[in-house]
Amino acid sequence: EVQLVESGGAVVRPGGSLRLSCAASGFTFEDYSIHWVRQVPGKGLEWVSIINWDGSDINYADFVQGRFTISRDNSRNSLFLQMNSLTAEDTALYYCAKEHDSGWYLDSWGQGTLVTVSS
Amino acid sequence: EIVLTQSPATLSLSPGEGATLSCRASQSIGTYLAWYQQKAGQAPRVLIYDASNRVTGIPARFSASGSGTDFTLTISALEPEDFAVYFCQQRSNWPRYSFGQGTRLEIK
């Protein structure tokens, strides 16, 4: 069974930093592109970033503006999101999600980790 | 940036009725559209990919169509478990993705 488990969410002050993790199991992690998607509770989904299977191809949503860094460690079946210069607008539930093996859509999601940026 | 606009924002229907949800793209995205269902307190679940292909295990009452800029998700004969929020997603301007703002399907 595919499992994605996010962790690292916390309350952080504006301007602060946080590192999110996503632990994967139940599939061959190194074969898949993985995404981060966020959601303000009660609001819509917002795509954040994608990293391909070996980390050689990475992209971010425009709002990231150089503040976030996605990375992965295939030896540990883990995905990361380093977030710097956080603002209140970054407050959200952050999901990691796996792409389907024969397509681009997101076929498995974690349960999310909550990031709250507040003074 | 491709913007996806979903309508209506909220749809109030009764079990057994049919539902039609719309997703419109600000520019042509071919058939690079997926639909997701999200229930309260849960992560999203993909229903449809490439505009009209139902994911394995999704009930046949879910169908979808469209190409270019206009897309539709249809749910025939609503079941109680279908009341949720539905999002569309595009990847036409890969590797940039985006989601619509969602349609809340609520029990009337």
Side-chain angles (χ1 to χ4, degrees):
Chain A
E1 178 193 4
V2 172
Q3 278 203 317
L4 297 165
V5 180
E6 303 90 341
S7 61
V11 178
V12 61
R13 295 195 184 280
S17 298
L18 209 54
R19 189 190 196 213
L20 306 184
S21 299
C22 171
S25 61
F27 65 102
T28 305
F29 181 72
E30 64 187 17
D31 285 349
Y32 293 90
S33 295
I34 309 290
H35 298 244
W36 285 102
V37 177
R38 71 184 187 181
Q39 184 175 36
V40 174
K43 302 298 183 183
L45 299 169
E46 187 170 42
W47 179 78
V48 177
S49 183
I50 178 179
I51 185 168
N52 74 330
W53 69 277
D54 66 352
S56 62
D57 198 357
I58 288 171
N59 279 277
Y60 301 97
D62 288 342
F63 66 80
V64 169
Q65 296 182 328
R67 301 180 300 129
F68 296 178
T69 303
I70 190 172
S71 62
R72 65 191 297 162
D73 183 343
N74 287 341
S75 69
R76 293 164 53 194
N77 289 344
S78 293
L79 173 76
F80 306 101
L81 185 68
Q82 176 67 42
M83 303 188 296
N84 300 327
S85 303
L86 288 164
T87 72
E89 288 66 43
D90 297 315
T91 294
L93 187 65
Y94 284 73
Y95 294 102
C96 60
K98 163 190 163 292
E99 281 193 359
H100 188 264
D101 56 3
S102 62
W104 54 273
Y105 56 94
L106 305 178
D107 67 351
S108 297
W109 298 61
Q111 286 303 304
T113 188
L114 184 62
V115 172
T116 303
V117 184
S118 175
S119 56
Chain B
E1 179 191 356
I2 296 177
V3 176
L4 297 178
T5 302
Q6 293 187 241
S7 61
T10 303
L11 187 57
S12 300
L13 294 168
S14 300
E17 292 190 293
T20 301
L21 288 66
S22 174
C23 177
R24 177 164 291 178
S26 58
Q27 59 186 276
S28 178
I29 59 171
T31 57
Y32 286 120
L33 191 95
W35 289 94
Y36 297 80
Q37 176 194 67
Q38 187 178 33
K39 297 180 180 179
Q42 297 183 18
R45 174 178 72 146
V46 63
L47 304 173
I48 301 287
Y49 65 96
D50 290 345
S52 61
N53 295 299
R54 200 165 46 246
V55 169
T56 301
I58 299 303
R61 63 181 181 274
F62 290 91
S63 64
S65 63
S67 66
T69 60
D70 290 304
F71 301 86
T72 300
L73 174 69
T74 301
I75 312 170
S76 63
L78 286 162
E79 297 285 344
E81 62 268 26
D82 297 337
F83 292 90
V85 181
Y86 292 83
F87 295 96
C88 55
Q89 181 205 15
Q90 68 83 26
R91 63 131 277 179
S92 179
N93 58 335
W94 185 91
R96 298 295 183 91
Y97 298 68
S98 61
F99 291 89
Q101 82 279 16
T103 289
R104 179 176 303 278
L105 180 55
E106 63 178 26
I107 299 178
K108 187 174 181 180

